[in-house]
Amino acid sequence: MSNLDVEKIRQDFPILDRVIDGKRLVYLDNAATSHKPVQVIKSISNYYEQYNSNVHRGIHTMSEEATTAYEGVRETVANFIGAKETCEVIFTRNTTEAINLVAYSWGRQNVLPGDEIVLSPMEHHSNLVPWQQLAQEREAKLVFLELTEDGQINMESAKQLIGSKTRLVAVTQMSNVLGTITPVTELARLAHQHNAIILVDGAQGVPHLKTSVAELECDFYVFSLHKMLGPTGVGILWGKKEILNAMPPFMFGGDMISSVHRDKSRWNELPWKFEAGTPNIADVIASGVAIEYLQNLGMDNVRAHEVEITAYALKRLGEIKGITIYGPKDANLRGGVVAFNVEGIHPHDLGQILSDSGVAIRAGHHCCQPLMKDLKVMGTARASFYIYNTLEEVDLLMAALKEADKVMGHVACR
Ligand code: C6P
């Protein structure tokens, strides 16, 4: 049993009171984006009502207040992910932009013809397409790790596939389809043995698992705040200082320079070298509030709650005739993302009929088309849980699935 007071938590999320077509909202699409507590929503209006100003520029009171709040979040993020220094934390728009930053800046400087970039087969397109582009441009090769039957990284094959040609290993910390938790530290050690570096896509990891970049032993770590109670439009790139220092800027313009002449410019120091132009000030500040909210709950409690609800969902969904559930069977080995297919019902039909019952899930390829091909499906239905979900909502999902089966002519449910 987790120590989260879910009923109390739910009171902080006004959107959970929504009624859709007369049905209470059951929101099980948290892997796409989480909801935001009032504390985060109020932080945004408070910024615009009380101290809306640009950062790093003015010397007036409000600009100083905005700069202090904005830079304070860098420290909050650094503490949350166990980063040694705040200058290693760079604000981006999202995970996707953070990965592109590394692919453009580090990749084009360091990846040479014949080099290998090692990925897992369950990467989100955000952690695949930028590397495809880089590999094409640099005549490098993409190499894919293998998965076991229940969707875990096959470490024996990883030992064969990561070698002297490997320049970079780029893997998700937690799959947004299979829920698989990747053995990042073991992969980091393998990469480092061969003088390669490792980038970890934490988009589905850090919202749910206590995370320390030092313990993961990674070189880059990226994530999006909108999946962890924060607003959209804020992502984080964390990188080791010596690697970031050696990288050229990704974007050019204001704020990222130390001096500009007609014919040349000098770059600002970290982290601002990578933050060109006016940043997303209000949302970065609100992101700090989101992290503090999670810290107050305790990430161990967040994880325990999700293991409990995922175990229950796996058990209940397993009662459905003709269901295929993807990923590890043990809730302790996976995150709170459960992708499934019911024989005879297209996942999009399932998503639509569930929506008519007030239950919001995601259906489709989840931006993982190569993985769908490996699973030999066009797409899946996917329920994903967070701190405010209850066991009762899993029962409502089951009731909605039974309704879907009825609508489709009793093809599945027992
Ligand atoms: N996955 C999902 O429904 P952005 O869009 O940049 O904030 O995050 C991209 C991303 C990267 N890696 C992983 C593992 C992800 O799950 C995501 C986003 C959402 O699964 C939207 S496609």
Side-chain angles (χ1 to χ4, degrees):
M1 285 294 281
S2 86
N3 291 322
L4 291 192
D5 184 346
V6 176
E7 281 318 310
K8 187 160 171 282
I9 289 171
R10 289 180 71 88
Q11 288 165 19
D12 287 332
F13 292 81
I15 205 165
L16 297 178
D17 293 335
R18 251 203 90 168
V19 173
I20 296 180
D21 291 336
K23 314 261 175 26
R24 190 196 118 185
L25 169 68
V26 176
Y27 186 77
L28 303 179
D29 194 17
N30 293 285
T33 197
S34 75
H35 289 315
K36 327 298 171 197
V38 275
Q39 292 84 340
V40 167
I41 299 166
K42 279 188 184 154
S43 160
I44 296 170
S45 54
N46 184 48
Y47 166 77
Y48 287 117
E49 283 170 11
Q50 298 297 326
Y51 60 107
N52 169 44
S53 295
N54 215 325
V55 289
H56 308 141
R57 285 163 173 82
I59 48 155
H60 57 80
T61 302
M62 291 195 306
S63 175
E64 278 175 10
E65 285 172 358
T67 305
T68 304
Y70 177 85
E71 289 301 330
V73 177
R74 220 184 284 281
E75 217 169 306
T76 307
V77 172
N79 286 336
F80 192 61
I81 61 169
K84 262 196 281 179
E85 298 195 48
T86 51
C87 72
E88 297 175 326
V89 173
I90 292 149
F91 293 119
T92 64
R93 278 188 307 143
N94 46 39
T95 304
T96 307
E97 187 178 84
I99 296 172
N100 274 277
L101 193 164
V102 176
Y104 274 91
S105 174
W106 178 88
R108 276 151 184 85
Q109 198 178 49
N110 290 283
V111 174
L112 300 171
D115 282 351
E116 293 182 351
I117 298 169
V118 176
L119 307 172
S120 91
M122 55 188 174
E123 294 313 312
H124 187 279
H125 296 164
S126 296
N127 198 29
L128 167 61
V129 184
W131 306 121
Q132 282 176 349
Q133 290 302 112
L134 177 68
Q136 278 170 24
E137 217 181 290
R138 309 295 292 179
E139 293 174 32
K141 190 176 154 200
L142 297 187
V143 171
F144 290 89
L145 297 170
E146 288 169 11
L147 297 182
T148 61
E149 271 295 294
D150 67 344
Q152 300 190 65
I153 302 275
N154 180 335
M155 286 307 291
E156 282 315 305
S157 88
K159 285 176 197 153
Q160 308 302 318
L161 294 168
I162 298 173
S164 59
K165 288 189 182 163
T166 309
R167 197 76 199 89
L168 170 77
V169 176
V171 287
T172 186
Q173 186 184 11
M174 188 194 286
S175 163
N176 66 323
V177 176
L178 304 176
T180 308
I181 299 172
T182 308
V184 169
T185 311
E186 282 178 64
L187 290 171
R189 288 182 186 167
L190 271 177
H192 292 152
Q193 268 168 30
H194 297 284
N195 293 323
I197 64 162
I198 180 165
L199 174 142
V200 178
D201 173 356
Q204 300 292 349
V206 71
H208 309 278
L209 300 170
K210 192 176 201 170
T211 297
S212 153
V213 290
E215 281 171 23
L216 291 179
E217 299 182 20
C218 57
D219 299 288
F220 291 114
Y221 187 83
V222 296
F223 59 101
S224 296
L225 269 298
H226 70 89
K227 292 185 197 291
M228 46 191 292
L229 311 182
T232 50
V234 182
I236 300 292
L237 164 64
W238 169 85
K240 280 186 184 152
K241 189 175 161 186
E242 58 277 17
I243 301 179
L244 291 172
N245 264 330
M247 283 162 52
F250 171 48
M251 299 231 270
F252 300 86
D255 234 23
M256 53 73 64
I257 46 81
S258 65
S259 69
V260 178
H261 307 273
R262 281 199 167 180
D263 55 346
K264 62 177 190 299
S265 302
R266 284 182 182 281
W267 314 139
N268 205 339
E269 56 194 14
L270 289 178
W272 305 289
K273 179 171 89 171
F274 292 109
E275 291 180 11
T278 299
N280 187 354
I281 304 164
D283 293 323
V284 165
I285 294 170
S287 296
V289 178
I291 292 176
E292 279 159 14
Y293 191 99
L294 286 173
Q295 280 172 325
N296 286 337
L297 296 181
M299 288 309 290
D300 287 336
N301 294 327
V302 170
R303 172 72 181 143
H305 173 69
E306 281 178 29
V307 169
E308 185 185 356
I309 203 160
T310 306
Y312 185 64
L314 291 172
K315 175 174 157 288
R316 292 294 330 261
L317 287 167
E319 293 166 10
I320 295 173
K321 195 175 77 184
I323 197 166
T324 305
I325 301 174
Y326 303 97
K329 304 208 171 0
D330 181 348
N332 289 294
L333 299 178
R334 59 182 295 154
V337 168
V338 183
F340 58 93
N341 267 312
V342 180
E343 209 182 318
I345 311 182
H346 192 283
H348 281 150
D349 289 337
L350 213 52
Q352 186 55 54
I353 303 168
L354 258 57
S355 176
D356 293 342
S357 302
V359 179
I361 60 156
R362 185 171 171 189
H365 55 62
H366 314 296
C367 299
C368 292
Q369 284 186 5
L371 178 63
M372 294 298 126
K373 206 167 165 207
D374 292 350
L375 297 174
K376 299 185 176 57
V377 294
M378 292 295 288
T380 77
R382 184 190 71 183
S384 51
F385 310 108
Y386 211 18
I387 51 172
Y388 35 68
N389 288 123
T390 62
L391 299 183
E392 188 215 343
E393 287 183 313
V394 175
D395 293 336
L396 290 170
L397 166 68
M398 285 299 290
L401 282 168
K402 283 188 178 145
E403 180 61 26
D405 183 49
K406 202 161 91 190
V407 172
M408 299 303 289
H410 290 295
V411 286
C413 289
R414 264 180 208 152

